[in-house]
Amino acid sequence: MFQYLRSVLFIAQMYIAMPIIGLLFAPWALVDKRGAFAACKGYSRYVFWTAKWMVGLRCEVRGTPPEGEALIAAKHQSFLDIMMIFTALPSAKFIMKKEILYTPIIGLYARRLDCVSVDRGKRGAAIEKMVADVQAGRSTPGQLIIYSQGTRVPPGEKRPYKVGTGILYEQLGQPCVPVATNVGVLWPKHGLLRKPGVAVVEFLPVIEPGLPRDAFMKQLENVVETRSDALMAEAGFGDGNDT
């Protein structure tokens, strides 16, 4: 019960801080993208700090985040992995559902960071638009983050890897960095409880460009799922205390 109360207080202050930090940085963000990056990374680090002392949740990044242009194909389990991956990269932008662009504060920063929006309800058109938007933004170097399963996937649940990641891999001709995580064990997709422990995102070895699409997708899914399973076990998933 005490951990649940701590979790509620943590979540409340986290969402109160979001518009405050967003509005404070907005004048700088509107005239300079560096302001947008500073706001988002500053907010994320604030969340990591408060999570550590309020609910006992520590965030850890493993592996080597890329410095240059790359496609980041990541496992997605909760809002926490978004912040951790973004903060670890020097110039990140996301592929995201278009509805996010119309949300207060978050939408402003998504636009300023050149995030790519897609309509998930129109699969074929969404893939075409995604590729076109990414190609149009090639003049802005950075790391493009895509969640290959298209949504948050709770620990223990299996979802297919969508073809959009393979198409981007082919079209961009950039190295792909897979990312595994266990954050959903401690910060679940649903519910208010935040568990103490170590939340990890891990940047895995690079998949170089040039593989056939099917071979790439098979390798991507294998390395991400295998490593994510290991990280989730490390966090206690499957030991009877993960319900």
Side-chain angles (χ1 to χ4, degrees):
M1 179 60 73
F2 183 56
Q3 185 68 23
Y4 187 86
L5 177 59
R6 294 169 66 187
S7 299
V8 171
L9 293 174
F10 164 72
I11 293 168
Q13 64 82 33
M14 182 185 82
Y15 284 110
I16 290 171
M18 182 183 291
I20 294 173
I21 294 174
L23 291 172
L24 284 174
F25 278 86
W28 183 17
L30 287 170
V31 299
D32 190 333
K33 287 183 181 178
R34 290 178 299 178
F37 279 106
C40 295
K41 292 192 176 187
Y43 174 73
S44 296
R45 291 186 178 112
Y46 169 79
V47 172
F48 304 157
W49 175 66
T50 54
K52 184 176 181 180
W53 65 266
M54 291 188 74
V55 295
L57 175 57
R58 184 166 62 86
C59 298
E60 180 180 318
V61 174
R62 299 179 186 172
T64 305
E67 296 289 332
E69 284 192 295
L71 177 65
I72 310 297
K75 183 80 171 174
H76 185 25
Q77 293 184 334
S78 77
F79 183 45
L80 181 58
D81 59 63
I82 294 176
M83 293 185 286
M84 292 177 67
I85 294 171
F86 179 82
T87 305
L89 295 168
S91 184
K93 53 188 174 182
F94 290 89
I95 292 177
M96 59 175 56
K97 58 183 180 181
K98 68 177 184 179
E99 292 82 0
I100 293 176
L101 294 179
Y102 304 105
T103 58
I105 308 297
I106 294 177
L108 165 66
Y109 284 94
R111 293 175 187 274
R112 293 300 294 144
L113 296 174
D114 293 328
C115 292
V116 178
S117 65
V118 295
D119 186 343
R120 295 194 303 182
K122 301 177 181 178
R123 181 177 176 183
I127 292 174
E128 291 180 8
K129 182 180 185 301
M130 178 175 62
V131 172
D133 286 351
V134 169
Q135 293 287 9
R138 286 294 296 276
S139 59
T140 305
Q143 300 81 41
L144 181 66
I145 303 165
I146 184 169
Y147 290 112
S148 300
Q149 292 169 293
T151 187
R152 293 172 293 172
V153 180
E157 186 174 316
K158 300 297 181 183
R159 293 283 185 93
Y161 277 54
K162 297 182 180 296
V163 71
T165 305
I167 293 174
L168 282 176
Y169 170 78
E170 288 181 334
Q171 294 288 330
L172 294 175
Q174 295 178 354
C176 175
V177 180
V179 178
T181 190
N182 66 2
V183 301
V185 177
L186 307 167
W187 184 313
K189 177 179 179 178
H190 300 298
L192 299 176
L193 182 63
R194 302 292 179 260
K195 301 178 183 178
V198 181
V200 178
V201 296
E202 183 170 352
F203 290 84
L204 304 174
V206 173
I207 301 175
E208 297 293 345
L211 289 176
R213 186 191 301 173
D214 288 346
F216 163 74
M217 292 297 297
K218 184 177 181 180
Q219 181 176 342
L220 174 67
E221 181 172 356
N222 180 61
V223 297
V224 171
E225 292 300 306
T226 299
R227 189 58 192 148
S228 293
D229 287 346
L231 291 174
M232 288 187 288
E234 181 181 311
F237 183 73
D239 65 1
N241 297 316
D242 46 75
T243 57

